[in-house]
Amino acid sequence: MPDGRPRVVIVGAGFGGIEAARALARAPVDVTIIDRQNHHCFQPLLYQVATAALSPADVAWPIRRILRRQKNATVLMAEVNGIDTARRVVRTDSVEVAYDDLVLATGAAHSYFGHDEWAEAAPGLKRIEDGTRIRRRILIAFERAEITADEAARRRLLTFVIVGAGATGVEMAGAIAEVARETLPMDFRHIDPRTARIVLIEAGPRIMPALPEKLSEYVQATLARKGVEVMTGTRVTNCDLHGVDLEHGRIDASTIIWAAGVVASPAASWLGAAHDRAGRVQVVPELSVAGHPEIFAIGDTAAAAGPDGRPVPGIAPAAKQMGRYVGRLIAARAAGAKPPPPFRYRHGGDLATVGHGAAVVKLGRLELTGFLGWLFWSVVHIYFLVEVRERFVIAFRWLWDYVTYQRGARLITEVRRDDPR
Ligand SMILES: Cc1cc2nc3c(=O)[nH]c(=O)nc-3n(C[C@H](O)[C@H](O)[C@H](O)COP(=O)(O)OP(=O)(O)OC[C@H]3O[C@@H](n4cnc5c(N)ncnc54)[C@H](O)[C@@H]3O)c2cc1C
């Protein structure tokens, strides 16, 4: 604390990190927010980038721009690779950054359950570059299918497999089905995109297990109407560039999307701290690490208990609530004020869209499906977008797409070795 103001370092400018920084805007502290990317990504709409409905710049914003008015905040683009808790410095790929208070908000990554070699064949969706990579693969699969004279190859190119039927898997499957059945049919001459096979594979007994059974049945029926094959109770045993092996049989497919598992960032290993099975840092009710009241972990990288004793879920509102709480706690300490009571998570609800005019919403006792659910889902997502400009742009684009079924971002900007062929 050289000039008397505590130095607060926040690692990660996702939902949790940005919220923590904002909660410190009026506090007598100097905030440094470090991220390996220069932008904050609105992950809930990433699947729309992957399916060409939105462009990357619609769902990601420069961190500097978000915090431009916050005079006590400095943004650094650097990759953190360790923490020296004794010297109180964060190590990055370029500089060391000293802290008095440290907030770790580094999120999560895909988990291939010990089979990282599947990643090349089955990319997951987490960052902007994942969205554009999956978009490229989907669009190239249709292009190659138009060219090939080999019927087996055409079938493989027109088969899309999504592994994991949580909200992301369901949203991807519904959107790919709409691309094939509604957007593309008039654009090709040698293939009928409507014949594309879209398979959603889930190891558990039902899709979207976080929802009540009735709502997950609604989602499954809606997907079936859109032409998605749902396979529950089915375990994937291998993924390669030409398909997936199942416990019983194989599906030849040129496009595989991984939406099955997540693992926390390596924050726990940087600290040598206790963690749960998903690698999330165990935190005390103030969201700090046991024995380190100056180090906090929030969002997807933290294992915190909710009021019912169950873990706080890895969703954006939870990360934001934790970020806000930690920001207020640090601000109170810096001002010598009474700190807030221990963190208490409030679950707002669960929502997911199944595509055009169909979504499920569960807010306490309120359950919405169909068009009403979709309208609610759209309004909520637009409300939570960071920039006002994007709210208008996306609202208009969704309205346009709703009427025309068009997808404006169907660009292939490069072709790579591992693309469908
Ligand atoms: C495809 C997808 C769809 C989703 N849909 C929904 C939804 O509909 N509703 C919902 O509520 N939630 C949804 N989620 C979950 C939600 O996005 C996360 O719970 C939320 O982003 C967690 O926030 P966070 O701040 O913990 O981490 P993140 O938002 O992931 O941010 C982590 C930040 O840390 C940075 N970082 C990571 N490692 C380092 C490092 N070593 N050095 C520097 N910076 C680093 C990253 O670049 C990133 O900016 C979705 C997630 C995904 C992937």
Side-chain angles (χ1 to χ4, degrees):
M1 229 183 296
D3 66 350
R5 277 165 73 92
R7 295 158 302 180
V8 182
V9 174
I10 301 171
V11 186
F15 286 101
I18 291 283
E19 204 64 25
R22 282 179 166 161
L24 287 163
R26 290 176 211 283
V29 298
D30 291 323
V31 178
T32 302
I33 188 160
I34 307 175
D35 202 294
R36 62 186 171 198
Q37 293 168 328
N38 80 332
H39 53 268
H40 164 84
C41 174
F42 193 87
Q43 290 167 7
L45 291 181
L46 211 41
Y47 83 96
Q48 298 218 351
V49 173
T51 52
L54 296 176
S55 291
D58 295 334
V59 303
W61 307 276
I63 301 160
R64 290 187 187 287
R65 182 168 165 77
I66 296 172
L67 295 175
R68 66 192 182 281
R69 294 213 173 86
Q70 189 169 328
K71 296 288 181 230
N72 71 345
T74 300
V75 178
L76 297 184
M77 183 177 155
E79 173 133 19
V80 170
N81 49 35
I83 292 157
D84 187 333
T85 54
R87 288 172 52 228
R88 295 197 175 183
V89 292
V90 173
R91 289 197 212 101
T92 76
D93 53 1
S94 48
V95 286
E96 286 195 339
V97 186
Y99 65 83
D100 297 302
D101 292 288
L102 174 63
V103 181
L104 295 170
T106 35
H110 315 296
S111 164
Y112 289 88
F113 308 120
H115 291 280
D116 289 351
E117 70 278 9
W118 296 353
E120 187 189 16
L125 193 56
K126 189 79 196 162
R127 303 186 188 192
I128 286 291
E129 44 275 49
D130 298 328
T132 51
R133 180 180 179 199
I134 291 173
R135 176 181 76 182
R136 191 180 72 237
R137 284 195 176 191
I138 294 171
L139 297 176
I140 285 181
F142 284 102
E143 295 298 336
R144 299 254 198 263
E146 175 83 347
I147 288 170
T148 186
D150 178 343
E151 187 48 36
R154 186 176 0 247
R155 286 301 333 143
R156 192 185 68 240
L157 285 159
L158 290 180
T159 301
F160 300 84
V161 169
I162 300 102
V163 186
T168 302
V170 161
E171 288 172 347
M172 279 301 301
I176 295 174
E178 282 176 2
V179 168
R181 316 257 189 270
E182 313 291 349
T183 309
L184 297 182
M186 284 182 60
D187 298 10
F188 288 84
R189 298 294 170 262
H190 301 290
I191 58 165
D192 180 356
R194 286 171 300 193
T195 61
R197 183 179 178 205
I198 295 113
V199 189
L200 177 62
I201 300 177
E202 167 60 44
R206 66 184 174 97
I207 64 171
M208 297 207 63
L211 291 177
E213 210 156 331
K214 198 176 79 193
L215 292 184
S216 85
E217 278 166 16
Y218 163 81
V219 173
Q220 182 152 347
T222 309
L223 286 175
R225 255 201 327 277
K226 290 179 184 290
V228 176
E229 279 175 53
V230 178
M231 298 170 78
T232 49
T234 305
R235 206 169 284 278
V236 168
T237 57
N238 186 43
C239 298
D240 58 57
L241 287 172
H242 301 294
V244 291
D245 291 319
L246 311 173
E247 272 166 323
H248 306 288
R250 175 174 170 86
I251 301 175
D252 289 332
S254 296
T255 309
I256 308 165
I257 295 154
W258 189 261
V262 290
V263 62
S265 75
S269 68
W270 296 335
L271 299 169
H275 56 83
D276 69 1
R277 276 176 49 200
R280 297 179 302 174
V281 181
Q282 300 279 8
V283 289
V284 302
E286 284 74 27
L287 302 184
S288 58
V289 177
H292 284 283
E294 77 287 8
I295 302 179
F296 301 86
I298 61 171
D300 282 7
T301 216
D308 55 0
R310 290 195 305 181
V312 173
I315 56 175
K320 290 176 88 162
Q321 287 179 32
M322 291 193 220
R324 204 172 309 134
Y325 172 82
V326 164
R328 285 179 186 162
L329 177 62
I330 295 172
R333 280 187 194 165
K338 190 169 162 252
F343 175 71
R344 197 179 156 80
Y345 170 64
R346 285 186 182 77
H347 189 63
D350 296 290
L351 10 165
T353 167
V354 204
H356 213 75
V360 277
V361 174
K362 167 122 182 60
L363 301 177
R365 291 221 202 118
L366 176 73
E367 293 180 1
L368 299 174
T369 55
F371 182 74
L372 259 185
W374 179 79
L375 208 57
F376 188 89
W377 178 93
S378 306
V379 170
V380 166
H381 280 74
I382 284 171
Y383 175 77
F384 282 111
L385 290 171
V386 176
E387 295 279 339
V388 175
R389 175 189 161 273
E390 271 70 39
R391 290 190 189 150
F392 285 106
V393 169
I394 291 180
F396 176 76
R397 207 164 283 174
W398 282 350
L399 193 67
W400 183 254
D401 292 355
Y402 185 78
V403 177
T404 64
Y405 277 99
Q406 278 313 305
R407 287 174 183 257
R410 277 165 41 202
L411 304 180
I412 300 169
T413 47
E414 60 176 333
V415 178
R416 294 218 194 142
R417 189 180 54 84
D418 56 354
D419 284 333
R421 54 186 71 247

Tab-separated table of all heavy atoms in Angstrom, residues 82-128:
chain	number	residue	atom	x	y	z
A	82	GLY	N	0.473	-17.591	-12.258
A	82	GLY	CA	0.819	-17.992	-10.897
A	82	GLY	C	0.604	-16.852	-9.919
A	82	GLY	O	0.406	-15.695	-10.320
A	83	ILE	N	0.608	-17.217	-8.624
A	83	ILE	CA	0.445	-16.203	-7.577
A	83	ILE	C	1.455	-16.504	-6.481
A	83	ILE	O	1.576	-17.660	-6.051
A	83	ILE	CB	-0.989	-16.236	-7.004
A	83	ILE	CG1	-1.968	-15.758	-8.079
A	83	ILE	CG2	-1.118	-15.355	-5.762
A	83	ILE	CD1	-3.362	-16.243	-7.874
A	84	ASP	N	2.187	-15.486	-6.072
A	84	ASP	CA	3.098	-15.639	-4.952
A	84	ASP	C	2.395	-15.038	-3.740
A	84	ASP	O	2.349	-13.815	-3.580
A	84	ASP	CB	4.417	-14.903	-5.277
A	84	ASP	CG	5.472	-15.160	-4.210
A	84	ASP	OD1	5.081	-15.435	-3.058
A	84	ASP	OD2	6.667	-15.079	-4.546
A	85	THR	N	1.788	-15.911	-2.927
A	85	THR	CA	0.969	-15.394	-1.815
A	85	THR	C	1.857	-14.784	-0.721
A	85	THR	O	1.402	-13.925	0.024
A	85	THR	CB	0.087	-16.509	-1.214
A	85	THR	OG1	0.930	-17.608	-0.861
A	85	THR	CG2	-0.968	-16.970	-2.188
A	86	ALA	N	3.112	-15.228	-0.620
A	86	ALA	CA	4.003	-14.679	0.415
A	86	ALA	C	4.393	-13.239	0.064
A	86	ALA	O	4.323	-12.337	0.903
A	86	ALA	CB	5.243	-15.554	0.543
A	87	ARG	N	4.733	-13.005	-1.211
A	87	ARG	CA	5.131	-11.636	-1.645
A	87	ARG	C	3.920	-10.817	-2.075
A	87	ARG	O	4.034	-9.641	-2.390
A	87	ARG	CB	6.115	-11.727	-2.818
A	87	ARG	CG	7.501	-12.216	-2.397
A	87	ARG	CD	8.397	-12.483	-3.611
A	87	ARG	NE	8.455	-11.361	-4.527
A	87	ARG	CZ	8.290	-11.447	-5.863
A	87	ARG	NH1	8.042	-12.617	-6.420
A	87	ARG	NH2	8.356	-10.371	-6.616
A	88	ARG	N	2.767	-11.452	-2.150
A	88	ARG	CA	1.533	-10.805	-2.614
A	88	ARG	C	1.700	-10.198	-4.010
A	88	ARG	O	1.464	-8.997	-4.224
A	88	ARG	CB	1.046	-9.750	-1.615
A	88	ARG	CG	0.647	-10.381	-0.294
A	88	ARG	CD	-0.195	-9.468	0.540
A	88	ARG	NE	-0.644	-10.177	1.741
A	88	ARG	CZ	-1.445	-9.693	2.664
A	88	ARG	NH1	-1.902	-8.477	2.548
A	88	ARG	NH2	-1.802	-10.411	3.693
A	89	VAL	N	2.124	-11.022	-4.936
A	89	VAL	CA	2.187	-10.583	-6.335
A	89	VAL	C	1.523	-11.628	-7.235
A	89	VAL	O	1.573	-12.826	-6.960
A	89	VAL	CB	3.631	-10.326	-6.858
A	89	VAL	CG1	4.265	-9.127	-6.200
A	89	VAL	CG2	4.496	-11.551	-6.750
A	90	VAL	N	0.916	-11.098	-8.312
A	90	VAL	CA	0.338	-11.950	-9.355
A	90	VAL	C	1.374	-12.034	-10.462
A	90	VAL	O	1.887	-11.011	-10.910
A	90	VAL	CB	-0.967	-11.306	-9.892
A	90	VAL	CG1	-1.490	-12.081	-11.087
A	90	VAL	CG2	-2.018	-11.236	-8.800
A	91	ARG	N	1.694	-13.269	-10.877
A	91	ARG	CA	2.656	-13.444	-11.968
A	91	ARG	C	1.904	-13.575	-13.287
A	91	ARG	O	0.929	-14.313	-13.361
A	91	ARG	CB	3.485	-14.713	-11.768
A	91	ARG	CG	4.466	-14.607	-10.647
A	91	ARG	CD	5.520	-15.722	-10.803
A	91	ARG	NE	5.953	-16.113	-9.481
A	91	ARG	CZ	5.533	-17.200	-8.850
A	91	ARG	NH1	4.716	-18.043	-9.430
A	91	ARG	NH2	5.953	-17.473	-7.636
A	92	THR	N	2.372	-12.853	-14.297
A	92	THR	CA	1.743	-12.968	-15.621
A	92	THR	C	2.814	-13.302	-16.647
A	92	THR	O	3.998	-13.369	-16.311
A	92	THR	CB	1.046	-11.654	-16.047
A	92	THR	OG1	2.050	-10.728	-16.465
A	92	THR	CG2	0.225	-11.045	-14.918
A	93	ASP	N	2.390	-13.452	-17.913
A	93	ASP	CA	3.362	-13.735	-18.964
A	93	ASP	C	4.237	-12.523	-19.286
A	93	ASP	O	5.206	-12.625	-20.025
A	93	ASP	CB	2.654	-14.243	-20.234
A	93	ASP	CG	1.545	-13.294	-20.690
A	93	ASP	OD1	1.341	-12.247	-20.046
A	93	ASP	OD2	0.875	-13.613	-21.685
A	94	SER	N	3.920	-11.350	-18.721
A	94	SER	CA	4.755	-10.179	-19.007
A	94	SER	C	5.252	-9.469	-17.737
A	94	SER	O	6.434	-9.223	-17.600
A	94	SER	CB	3.995	-9.191	-19.904
A	94	SER	OG	2.704	-8.966	-19.395
A	95	VAL	N	4.365	-9.158	-16.807
A	95	VAL	CA	4.796	-8.380	-15.630
A	95	VAL	C	4.328	-9.071	-14.346
A	95	VAL	O	3.508	-9.986	-14.382
A	95	VAL	CB	4.180	-6.950	-15.645
A	95	VAL	CG1	4.831	-6.070	-16.657
A	95	VAL	CG2	2.673	-7.020	-15.811
A	96	GLU	N	4.854	-8.597	-13.229
A	96	GLU	CA	4.321	-9.019	-11.928
A	96	GLU	C	3.496	-7.862	-11.387
A	96	GLU	O	3.872	-6.698	-11.543
A	96	GLU	CB	5.466	-9.323	-10.952
A	96	GLU	CG	6.177	-10.617	-11.248
A	96	GLU	CD	7.046	-11.083	-10.083
A	96	GLU	OE1	7.419	-10.239	-9.228
A	96	GLU	OE2	7.343	-12.289	-10.021
A	97	VAL	N	2.349	-8.172	-10.789
A	97	VAL	CA	1.470	-7.109	-10.301
A	97	VAL	C	1.228	-7.325	-8.801
A	97	VAL	O	0.751	-8.392	-8.400
A	97	VAL	CB	0.117	-7.114	-11.054
A	97	VAL	CG1	-0.727	-5.913	-10.642
A	97	VAL	CG2	0.335	-7.129	-12.563
A	98	ALA	N	1.581	-6.318	-7.988
A	98	ALA	CA	1.443	-6.452	-6.535
A	98	ALA	C	0.001	-6.163	-6.112
A	98	ALA	O	-0.676	-5.336	-6.706
A	98	ALA	CB	2.391	-5.474	-5.852
A	99	TYR	N	-0.447	-6.862	-5.067
A	99	TYR	CA	-1.817	-6.635	-4.577
A	99	TYR	C	-1.853	-6.550	-3.056
A	99	TYR	O	-0.978	-7.089	-2.369
A	99	TYR	CB	-2.739	-7.765	-5.038
A	99	TYR	CG	-2.414	-9.130	-4.457
A	99	TYR	CD1	-2.865	-9.513	-3.190
A	99	TYR	CD2	-1.651	-10.056	-5.175
A	99	TYR	CE1	-2.563	-10.764	-2.658
A	99	TYR	CE2	-1.354	-11.305	-4.645
A	99	TYR	CZ	-1.808	-11.652	-3.394
A	99	TYR	OH	-1.495	-12.893	-2.867
A	100	ASP	N	-2.877	-5.861	-2.570
A	100	ASP	CA	-3.235	-5.962	-1.152
A	100	ASP	C	-4.460	-6.863	-1.026
A	100	ASP	O	-4.570	-7.626	-0.082
A	100	ASP	CB	-3.523	-4.569	-0.583
A	100	ASP	CG	-2.273	-3.692	-0.638
A	100	ASP	OD1	-1.261	-4.088	-0.053
A	100	ASP	OD2	-2.305	-2.635	-1.316
A	101	ASP	N	-5.394	-6.721	-1.990
A	101	ASP	CA	-6.539	-7.626	-2.072
A	101	ASP	C	-6.558	-8.214	-3.476
A	101	ASP	O	-6.322	-7.496	-4.454
A	101	ASP	CB	-7.859	-6.879	-1.835
A	101	ASP	CG	-7.970	-6.400	-0.407
A	101	ASP	OD1	-8.162	-7.233	0.483
A	101	ASP	OD2	-7.831	-5.178	-0.199
A	102	LEU	N	-6.871	-9.509	-3.554
A	102	LEU	CA	-6.849	-10.191	-4.852
A	102	LEU	C	-8.188	-10.885	-5.069
A	102	LEU	O	-8.684	-11.582	-4.183
A	102	LEU	CB	-5.716	-11.233	-4.845
A	102	LEU	CG	-5.611	-12.155	-6.054
A	102	LEU	CD1	-5.308	-11.354	-7.318
A	102	LEU	CD2	-4.506	-13.202	-5.825
A	103	VAL	N	-8.769	-10.661	-6.257
A	103	VAL	CA	-10.034	-11.330	-6.597
A	103	VAL	C	-9.774	-12.224	-7.808
A	103	VAL	O	-9.377	-11.732	-8.869
A	103	VAL	CB	-11.139	-10.295	-6.940
A	103	VAL	CG1	-12.450	-11.014	-7.253
A	103	VAL	CG2	-11.319	-9.298	-5.805
A	104	LEU	N	-9.984	-13.519	-7.648
A	104	LEU	CA	-9.782	-14.446	-8.762
A	104	LEU	C	-11.131	-14.753	-9.394
A	104	LEU	O	-12.038	-15.285	-8.736
A	104	LEU	CB	-9.112	-15.729	-8.260
A	104	LEU	CG	-7.700	-15.491	-7.721
A	104	LEU	CD1	-7.161	-16.723	-7.017
A	104	LEU	CD2	-6.772	-15.072	-8.854
A	105	ALA	N	-11.257	-14.378	-10.649
A	105	ALA	CA	-12.540	-14.528	-11.359
A	105	ALA	C	-12.254	-15.077	-12.749
A	105	ALA	O	-12.676	-14.527	-13.759
A	105	ALA	CB	-13.241	-13.174	-11.436
A	106	THR	N	-11.502	-16.195	-12.788
A	106	THR	CA	-10.974	-16.695	-14.063
A	106	THR	C	-11.860	-17.743	-14.730
A	106	THR	O	-11.450	-18.345	-15.722
A	106	THR	CB	-9.545	-17.247	-13.840
A	106	THR	OG1	-9.478	-17.863	-12.544
A	106	THR	CG2	-8.524	-16.141	-13.901
A	107	GLY	N	-13.046	-17.971	-14.195
A	107	GLY	CA	-14.028	-18.773	-14.925
A	107	GLY	C	-13.683	-20.247	-15.027
A	107	GLY	O	-13.009	-20.821	-14.167
A	108	ALA	N	-14.142	-20.863	-16.105
A	108	ALA	CA	-13.991	-22.316	-16.275
A	108	ALA	C	-13.617	-22.614	-17.727
A	108	ALA	O	-13.657	-21.738	-18.590
A	108	ALA	CB	-15.317	-23.001	-15.924
A	109	ALA	N	-13.239	-23.858	-17.975
A	109	ALA	CA	-12.913	-24.309	-19.346
A	109	ALA	C	-13.659	-25.622	-19.593
A	109	ALA	O	-14.323	-26.140	-18.704
A	109	ALA	CB	-11.408	-24.520	-19.458
A	110	HIS	N	-13.521	-26.172	-20.823
A	110	HIS	CA	-14.189	-27.450	-21.112
A	110	HIS	C	-13.488	-28.591	-20.414
A	110	HIS	O	-12.277	-28.563	-20.264
A	110	HIS	CB	-14.158	-27.761	-22.607
A	110	HIS	CG	-14.514	-26.602	-23.440
A	110	HIS	ND1	-15.748	-26.022	-23.392
A	110	HIS	CD2	-13.798	-25.900	-24.328
A	110	HIS	CE1	-15.765	-25.009	-24.210
A	110	HIS	NE2	-14.610	-24.903	-24.789
A	111	SER	N	-14.247	-29.586	-20.057
A	111	SER	CA	-13.633	-30.803	-19.538
A	111	SER	C	-13.997	-31.941	-20.480
A	111	SER	O	-15.172	-32.154	-20.783
A	111	SER	CB	-14.176	-31.095	-18.141
A	111	SER	OG	-13.864	-32.430	-17.807
A	112	TYR	N	-12.970	-32.649	-20.930
A	112	TYR	CA	-13.204	-33.824	-21.793
A	112	TYR	C	-13.049	-35.118	-20.983
A	112	TYR	O	-12.752	-36.161	-21.525
A	112	TYR	CB	-12.238	-33.795	-22.985
A	112	TYR	CG	-12.585	-32.706	-23.983
A	112	TYR	CD1	-12.075	-31.422	-23.829
A	112	TYR	CD2	-13.432	-32.940	-25.052
A	112	TYR	CE1	-12.392	-30.411	-24.718
A	112	TYR	CE2	-13.759	-31.946	-25.955
A	112	TYR	CZ	-13.233	-30.674	-25.785
A	112	TYR	OH	-13.553	-29.674	-26.663
A	113	PHE	N	-13.226	-34.996	-19.681
A	113	PHE	CA	-13.187	-36.144	-18.777
A	113	PHE	C	-11.932	-37.000	-18.999
A	113	PHE	O	-12.007	-38.221	-19.160
A	113	PHE	CB	-14.462	-37.001	-18.939
A	113	PHE	CG	-15.730	-36.188	-18.825
A	113	PHE	CD1	-16.632	-36.118	-19.869
A	113	PHE	CD2	-15.997	-35.462	-17.665
A	113	PHE	CE1	-17.787	-35.343	-19.773
A	113	PHE	CE2	-17.142	-34.684	-17.557
A	113	PHE	CZ	-18.033	-34.628	-18.610
A	114	GLY	N	-10.789	-36.319	-19.059
A	114	GLY	CA	-9.527	-37.046	-19.201
A	114	GLY	C	-9.167	-37.370	-20.641
A	114	GLY	O	-8.179	-38.058	-20.897
A	115	HIS	N	-9.954	-36.882	-21.603
A	115	HIS	CA	-9.658	-37.171	-23.017
A	115	HIS	C	-9.444	-35.864	-23.777
A	115	HIS	O	-10.176	-35.549	-24.723
A	115	HIS	CB	-10.809	-37.968	-23.662
A	115	HIS	CG	-10.933	-39.351	-23.138
A	115	HIS	ND1	-10.123	-40.371	-23.559
A	115	HIS	CD2	-11.752	-39.882	-22.202
A	115	HIS	CE1	-10.446	-41.484	-22.918
A	115	HIS	NE2	-11.423	-41.200	-22.082
A	116	ASP	N	-8.438	-35.101	-23.373
A	116	ASP	CA	-8.197	-33.809	-24.024
A	116	ASP	C	-7.918	-33.956	-25.520
A	116	ASP	O	-8.069	-33.002	-26.285
A	116	ASP	CB	-7.028	-33.075	-23.342
A	116	ASP	CG	-7.433	-32.573	-21.959
A	116	ASP	OD1	-8.641	-32.640	-21.630
A	116	ASP	OD2	-6.543	-32.140	-21.197
A	117	GLU	N	-7.516	-35.167	-25.932
A	117	GLU	CA	-7.234	-35.384	-27.367
A	117	GLU	C	-8.515	-35.273	-28.209
A	117	GLU	O	-8.451	-35.136	-29.426
A	117	GLU	CB	-6.539	-36.745	-27.583
A	117	GLU	CG	-7.389	-37.996	-27.356
A	117	GLU	CD	-7.511	-38.428	-25.885
A	117	GLU	OE1	-7.071	-37.656	-24.999
A	117	GLU	OE2	-8.059	-39.513	-25.629
A	118	TRP	N	-9.699	-35.300	-27.566
A	118	TRP	CA	-10.949	-35.152	-28.320
A	118	TRP	C	-11.199	-33.692	-28.722
A	118	TRP	O	-12.053	-33.406	-29.558
A	118	TRP	CB	-12.158	-35.619	-27.487
A	118	TRP	CG	-12.154	-37.067	-27.126
A	118	TRP	CD1	-11.275	-38.023	-27.570
A	118	TRP	CD2	-13.065	-37.734	-26.240
A	118	TRP	NE1	-11.584	-39.240	-27.007
A	118	TRP	CE2	-12.675	-39.100	-26.191
A	118	TRP	CE3	-14.166	-37.321	-25.492
A	118	TRP	CZ2	-13.356	-40.044	-25.417
A	118	TRP	CZ3	-14.842	-38.259	-24.722
A	118	TRP	CH2	-14.440	-39.599	-24.687
A	119	ALA	N	-10.451	-32.782	-28.110
A	119	ALA	CA	-10.751	-31.350	-28.286
A	119	ALA	C	-10.659	-30.921	-29.761
A	119	ALA	O	-11.454	-30.099	-30.223
A	119	ALA	CB	-9.819	-30.510	-27.431
A	120	GLU	N	-9.700	-31.470	-30.491
A	120	GLU	CA	-9.542	-31.043	-31.891
A	120	GLU	C	-10.782	-31.411	-32.711
A	120	GLU	O	-11.280	-30.613	-33.515
A	120	GLU	CB	-8.296	-31.691	-32.507
A	120	GLU	CG	-8.001	-31.132	-33.894
A	120	GLU	CD	-6.919	-31.887	-34.649
A	120	GLU	OE1	-6.580	-33.021	-34.267
A	120	GLU	OE2	-6.444	-31.321	-35.662
A	121	ALA	N	-11.295	-32.615	-32.477
A	121	ALA	CA	-12.460	-33.069	-33.248
A	121	ALA	C	-13.761	-32.466	-32.736
A	121	ALA	O	-14.705	-32.254	-33.503
A	121	ALA	CB	-12.542	-34.593	-33.204
A	122	ALA	N	-13.801	-32.205	-31.426
A	122	ALA	CA	-15.072	-31.788	-30.818
A	122	ALA	C	-14.883	-30.488	-30.021
A	122	ALA	O	-14.841	-30.520	-28.788
A	122	ALA	CB	-15.584	-32.917	-29.909
A	123	PRO	N	-14.764	-29.354	-30.710
A	123	PRO	CA	-14.537	-28.101	-29.967
A	123	PRO	C	-15.732	-27.740	-29.093
A	123	PRO	O	-16.879	-28.059	-29.415
A	123	PRO	CB	-14.341	-27.070	-31.081
A	123	PRO	CG	-14.991	-27.646	-32.282
A	123	PRO	CD	-14.878	-29.141	-32.152
A	124	GLY	N	-15.429	-27.093	-27.985
A	124	GLY	CA	-16.488	-26.585	-27.116
A	124	GLY	C	-16.672	-25.096	-27.348
A	124	GLY	O	-15.946	-24.485	-28.138
A	125	LEU	N	-17.617	-24.520	-26.648
A	125	LEU	CA	-17.981	-23.125	-26.877
A	125	LEU	C	-17.725	-22.346	-25.589
A	125	LEU	O	-18.428	-22.553	-24.593
A	125	LEU	CB	-19.468	-23.094	-27.241
A	125	LEU	CG	-20.064	-21.829	-27.829
A	125	LEU	CD1	-19.316	-21.409	-29.077
A	125	LEU	CD2	-21.540	-22.066	-28.153
A	126	LYS	N	-16.722	-21.481	-25.621
A	126	LYS	CA	-16.401	-20.737	-24.407
A	126	LYS	C	-15.970	-19.312	-24.746
A	126	LYS	O	-16.326	-18.364	-24.072
A	126	LYS	CB	-15.278	-21.484	-23.661
A	126	LYS	CG	-14.981	-20.973	-22.293
A	126	LYS	CD	-15.995	-21.460	-21.302
A	126	LYS	CE	-15.937	-20.642	-20.036
A	126	LYS	NZ	-17.130	-20.780	-19.228
A	127	ARG	N	-15.145	-19.213	-25.794
A	127	ARG	CA	-14.609	-17.908	-26.164
A	127	ARG	C	-15.139	-17.526	-27.543
A	127	ARG	O	-15.649	-18.371	-28.274
A	127	ARG	CB	-13.090	-17.980	-26.281
A	127	ARG	CG	-12.373	-18.464	-25.048
A	127	ARG	CD	-10.913	-18.298	-25.358
A	127	ARG	NE	-10.034	-18.868	-24.374
A	127	ARG	CZ	-8.729	-18.618	-24.344
A	127	ARG	NH1	-8.185	-17.830	-25.252
A	127	ARG	NH2	-7.968	-19.148	-23.445
A	128	ILE	N	-14.906	-16.273	-27.910
A	128	ILE	CA	-15.313	-15.795	-29.237
A	128	ILE	C	-14.715	-16.679	-30.334
A	128	ILE	O	-15.396	-17.072	-31.288
A	128	ILE	CB	-14.843	-14.330	-29.429
A	128	ILE	CG1	-15.725	-13.390	-28.603
A	128	ILE	CG2	-14.853	-13.911	-30.883
A	128	ILE	CD1	-17.140	-13.272	-29.115
